[in-house]
Amino acid sequence: MRWSGLPPLNTLLPFEATVRHASMTAAAQELHVTHGAVSRQVQNLERSLGTSLFERQTRALRPTPQARQLAAIVRDALDQIDAAARQISQHTPAGPLTLSCEPTLLMRWLIPRLPDLAVNVPDVTVHLSAGGGPVFFERDNIDLAIRRDDFPFPEEVSRTRLFAERIGPVCRPDLAARLTGAADLTGAALLHTSTRPQAWDDWRRITGMKAEPASQQTLEHFYLTLQAAAAGVGIAIAPYAVVRDDLERGQLVAPFGFVPDGTSYHLLSRQPPEQDGRVRQLTAWLRAKTSQLENESEQV
Amino acid sequence: MRWSGLPPLNTLLPFEATVRHASMTAAAQELHVTHGAVSRQVQNLERSLGTSLFERQTRALRPTPQARQLAAIVRDALDQIDAAARQISQHTPAGPLTLSCEPTLLMRWLIPRLPDLAVNVPDVTVHLSAGGGPVFFERDNIDLAIRRDDFPFPEEVSRTRLFAERIGPVCRPDLAARLTGAADLTGAALLHTSTRPQAWDDWRRITGMKAEPASQQTLEHFYLTLQAAAAGVGIAIAPYAVVRDDLERGQLVAPFGFVPDGTSYHLLSRQPPEQDGRVRQLTAWLRAKTSQLENESEQV
DNA sequence: TCGCATACGTGAATTTTACTCACAGGTCTT
DNA sequence: AAGACCTGTGAGTAAAATTCACGTATGCGA
């Protein structure tokens, strides 16, 4: 009888996000669901309250004043619960989590973001471990692993898709001047990476571009290759994620943009998926940061 | 990322109720689910927080201090949301709801509880309508109806079970003195009701008790029959619900208790089930009041 | 004014989650 | 020692949430 006016609680998150963004599509992106799911939950809430909460103008969605007010209250209420839940979670033993990640992604994407992690997920201390290929959770005492799905994952691990791999040639800005507008890379010096020797071939196959190199060189790791590219030695082929900071700083440019190669990065975890508060928080942070990577796909 | 510590919201209600009652079984009763459902939701929450929230002593469940604190916060948060939701619901048109109910139940059970309804569900104004048998929602402009399932309900109406019918003989206390302890009702004056002529037969069949009446009399309605019983005319056979107030006041007694006759009372509503805030509130109140009826089954 | 991109709604199918049922194990009561 | 009570749990079922694919309406650029 108490709380007989309470709407279905599961509708609250989609609703709040929709009000905040004034858009179901944006809310859906934030919550990592389709806009259809959000649409239906918002409808549920509206039916439950017996009122329309948004002005539907085909282009834009306008939350009514009531909706804004309700959203504010919901935000507040969830904040309280969240805070209480965090406190309880963190008061429990809570050792550090060990996260395994492919070396280059670790060095050039994850490590630069650790300060942000420390700010946004202060409750969790993370140990990092560079590694690729199959994950041995038990043997290596690993809790979470980021891996590209270029090999089969064991059935029993829980997986969360993070972002699509997109690869493209990168080089020093002054070298790019000679290339931009050109239909192919013929005559350039191509830098290969021995841990992913087929990267250039993949790219040529996907884009149909030619690349008859004047010279070629193979280096051990992506980060060495990128170092060489930044030094002006030649043109490297690299995943977007590992070079996006360099692109932003202008140390590298990607004259031909990036193309998906069909693979994706996933977050793997052992049996109990994200029923652990720390794992949940870390997962949420990773999903937020990596979805940013995906949204930047436009700016290629 | 915000709210990454948030546990599954659906676990909160069962959890809060469990803390409040220090019992899953009691919480389950309150929420009208089985104890198994509550047990699982509480486990979900505990897994999500990574902590145990109750001390399990086989006999009793003891919420930890953390659990109490969390429950208090949840209570508070849900209060806020509930209040906001009510306000929005009630700000919308919200005409009165019409509730149809079988005449005797209406007069002897529902009407005496209207003051309680007014206090606990102030937002909703209810129109009452006495009626039995098939419900014509559209034609008679009825929103909700309470009916016994002694006839088939149409497929498309939404139904909520309220309580089991239990019937038993009742009479004036001084008359009961002669009966109590006796194996049968032979020689008594039996009062029948023409709207349910088979009630005495049902009771005899279920209990196996004999009743060779010295005299018999048939009255039009249960409330007339009960009037007669209270006047000492004879023994009536009545549903528990309609006489429980009389029993409490001592105006009638039920020397043989009450037995389920296999039927139940249900709340019927037209298409949109309880997606309307007013309907939801009224339903919640009815369920609370009627579940009380069922819990009293012990005291027969 | 014609695509074209964007954003929401929706029927059908699917996956996930919640719930019930029936039983097990443990303790307190009588 | 038997019965009442409470919680946990495996298996099966019911319900809810989500996706997918498609439909519609509109603003925007050519």
Side-chain angles (χ1 to χ4, degrees), chain A residues 10 85 88-89 272-277 280, chain B residues 5-15 18 24 35-54 56 70:
Chain A
N10 280 343
I88 289 179
S89 291
E274 22 271 69
Q275 298 176 333
D276 176 320
R280 191 146 27 86
Chain B
L6 213 58
L9 298 182
N10 282 342
T11 64
L12 297 181
L13 268 81
F15 162 71
T18 302
M24 294 194 184
H35 76 269
V38 173
S39 170
R40 281 181 158 79
Q41 292 293 43
V42 168
Q43 284 172 43
N44 284 352
L45 181 59
E46 290 181 321
R47 244 182 329 176
S48 168
L49 297 176
T51 323
S52 171
L53 292 166
F54 297 89
R56 264 83 167 176
L70 178 60

Side-chain angles (χ1 to χ4, degrees), chain A residues 3-291:
Chain A
W3 297 330
S4 53
L6 213 57
L9 297 182
N10 280 343
T11 64
L12 296 181
L13 267 82
F15 162 71
E16 191 280 334
T18 301
V19 172
R20 185 151 32 80
H21 292 143
S23 154
M24 295 193 185
T25 310
Q29 251 184 277
E30 175 183 318
L31 301 172
H32 302 289
V33 293
T34 61
H35 78 269
V38 173
S39 170
R40 282 182 157 80
Q41 292 293 44
V42 168
Q43 284 171 45
N44 283 353
L45 181 59
E46 289 182 322
R47 245 181 330 177
S48 168
L49 297 177
T51 324
S52 172
L53 292 166
F54 297 90
E55 271 184 54
R56 264 80 166 182
Q57 300 157 333
T58 322
R59 191 76 193 149
L61 205 64
R62 288 247 302 276
T64 65
Q66 297 165 350
R68 283 179 205 287
Q69 195 192 338
L70 178 60
I73 288 169
V74 167
R75 244 190 303 279
D76 202 60
L78 295 187
D79 274 341
Q80 293 173 246
I81 295 171
D82 180 70
R86 276 166 193 275
Q87 197 167 17
I88 289 179
S89 291
Q90 107 189 70
H91 261 286
T92 62
L97 287 180
T98 302
L99 171 63
S100 166
C101 181
E102 299 185 337
T104 310
L105 188 63
L106 178 62
M107 290 188 57
R108 306 200 49 119
W109 184 82
L110 185 53
I111 289 179
R113 282 160 182 73
L114 286 181
D116 181 277
L117 176 64
V119 168
N120 286 298
V121 192
D123 310 340
V124 182
T125 60
V126 180
H127 285 182
L128 297 174
S129 159
V135 189
F136 301 99
F137 288 105
E138 306 300 333
R139 194 194 65 186
D140 302 339
N141 224 305
I142 287 169
D143 300 298
L144 291 163
I146 297 173
R147 288 290 187 277
R148 199 158 60 97
D149 55 4
D150 55 348
F151 67 97
F153 300 150
E155 254 312 314
E156 72 277 9
V157 308
S158 134
R159 30 166 114 18
T160 305
R161 187 180 166 287
L162 291 178
F163 60 97
E165 176 76 316
R166 287 179 298 126
I167 58 175
V170 293
C171 61
R172 215 169 61 182
D174 56 335
L175 275 179
R178 281 190 260 154
L179 292 167
T180 313
D184 65 351
L185 286 165
T186 307
L190 301 193
L191 301 171
H192 290 261
T193 300
S194 59
T195 52
R196 228 153 114 191
Q198 78 300 355
W200 273 112
D201 293 336
D202 286 347
W203 183 78
R204 269 194 296 246
R205 184 173 38 72
I206 296 164
T207 60
M209 275 188 160
K210 292 193 190 74
E212 298 294 337
S215 73
Q216 303 198 52
Q217 195 167 351
T218 298
L219 292 128
E220 196 56 39
H221 284 292
F222 264 125
Y223 52 83
L224 297 176
T225 313
L226 294 173
Q227 204 76 21
V233 177
I235 304 174
I237 178 89
Y240 176 67
V242 306
V243 295
R244 64 135 291 171
D245 289 355
D246 298 296
L247 296 174
E248 199 173 62
R249 284 194 297 264
Q251 301 191 305
L252 290 172
V253 292
F256 304 99
F258 295 84
V259 295
D261 74 351
T263 63
S264 290
Y265 286 86
H266 297 255
L267 180 63
L268 310 179
S269 70
R270 54 221 299 192
Q271 339 284 16
E274 22 271 69
Q275 298 176 333
D276 176 320
R278 296 165 305 146
V279 175
R280 191 146 27 86
Q281 288 185 45
L282 185 51
T283 302
W285 181 82
L286 280 169
R287 295 233 290 173
K289 287 293 152 194
T290 54
S291 78

